[in-house]
Amino acid sequence: MLSERQQQIVEESIKLISEKGMQGFTIKNLSKAIGISEPAIYRHFRSKVEILSTILNQFIEMANFLSEMMVSSNMKAVEKIEFMFGKMVEIFTENPAIISVIFSEESFKYEKSLKTIIVNILNKNEQTIENILKQGQNQGQIRTDIDEKDLALMTMGALRLMVKRWDLNNRNFNLENRGQKLIASIQLLISK
């Protein structure tokens, strides 16, 4: 559980990354944004990497939570996909600054601990979607002429591209509306 100050540091870090990119995310810039000294930040986090790990670990917790929900849910496979994607779109819409963090994996490539967390997030989400699709194939709801791994990759890639495009275009379209249309299209593509 994060302290109030740690949570403030995490939130300001996300904002800073969103505004200045990973290269602008420095302890010096962070201390200015919060209005505390650099040593004060180091009393709460040992390093910038630890702050980023904390942010990314929140995404792992969310991925695990969604996965557990989907396992215990009685919804049909298509409804589970719709729910998961809808939830992700809702999170990005309400907290657009996190897009800059979660989609900054290129920046994390050379920091092994951060890369590991990103890979774990991607793998967890992909495995959850694959399991849902496999369940749907077994129940005759999802097409079987395409492997569930390929279907999962296509659906995840479509969502990622839509969210990234929204962010890069200064959020100039309604992500939730566009997300609903994308989900409806994905349902048509994956349904039997």
Side-chain angles (χ1 to χ4, degrees):
M1 188 78 181
L2 297 178
S3 70
E4 191 174 316
R5 178 63 85 184
Q6 285 175 315
Q7 189 60 43
Q8 180 189 23
I9 291 169
V10 163
E11 289 170 7
E12 285 298 325
S13 296
I14 292 169
K15 285 181 196 170
L16 188 60
I17 293 166
S18 179
E19 293 167 7
K20 298 187 180 223
M22 289 304 293
Q23 65 278 5
F25 176 55
T26 64
I27 296 300
K28 182 177 184 172
N29 287 342
L30 182 59
S31 70
K32 285 180 188 175
I34 297 174
I36 62 175
S37 69
E38 291 178 47
I41 290 175
Y42 287 115
R43 282 194 290 274
H44 298 282
F45 291 98
R46 290 186 301 269
S47 66
K48 186 168 84 167
V49 170
E50 186 178 16
I51 295 170
L52 290 168
S53 292
T54 301
I55 293 167
L56 293 173
N57 279 321
Q58 291 178 345
F59 289 104
I60 271 280
E61 289 173 18
M62 183 177 62
N64 287 332
F65 177 74
L66 275 174
S67 179
E68 290 169 16
M69 275 183 69
M70 295 302 96
V71 167
S72 64
S73 171
N74 292 327
M75 290 185 278
K76 294 180 179 181
V78 173
E79 294 169 335
K80 288 181 180 183
I81 297 290
E82 180 180 357
F83 176 83
M84 277 191 66
F85 279 30
K87 190 52 86 178
M88 289 178 194
V89 166
E90 179 184 314
I91 289 166
F92 290 135
T93 301
E94 291 174 2
N95 307 288
I98 63 174
I99 295 167
S100 299
V101 178
I102 198 68
F103 293 154
S104 292
E105 63 273 335
E106 187 65 29
S107 301
F108 304 146
K109 189 161 85 172
Y110 301 107
E111 179 57 52
K112 187 177 178 179
S113 63
L114 298 176
K115 181 180 173 183
T116 300
I117 297 170
I118 287 288
V119 168
N120 288 339
I121 293 168
L122 291 172
N123 289 344
K124 185 62 174 184
N125 286 332
E126 184 176 24
Q127 188 61 56
T128 300
I129 293 169
E130 284 177 18
N131 290 343
I132 292 168
L133 292 167
K134 188 65 176 170
Q135 171 200 2
Q137 287 174 330
N138 291 339
Q139 295 173 347
Q141 303 161 1
I142 302 292
R143 61 189 303 164
T144 56
D145 57 334
I146 301 175
D147 184 73
E148 76 273 4
K149 292 181 184 309
D150 292 334
L151 286 174
L153 185 62
M154 287 185 276
T155 55
M156 288 177 64
L159 176 69
R160 178 189 170 89
L161 179 60
M162 179 192 66
V163 170
K164 194 65 177 166
R165 182 178 288 153
W166 176 71
D167 188 48
L168 289 172
N169 284 302
N170 300 314
R171 305 173 193 134
N172 66 355
F173 60 88
N174 185 307
L175 184 62
E176 288 182 333
N177 288 346
R178 185 65 192 100
Q180 289 172 353
K181 289 178 183 177
L182 178 63
I183 291 167
S185 296
I186 289 171
Q187 287 175 333
L188 288 173
L189 291 171
I190 67 174
S191 294
K192 200 167 190 180

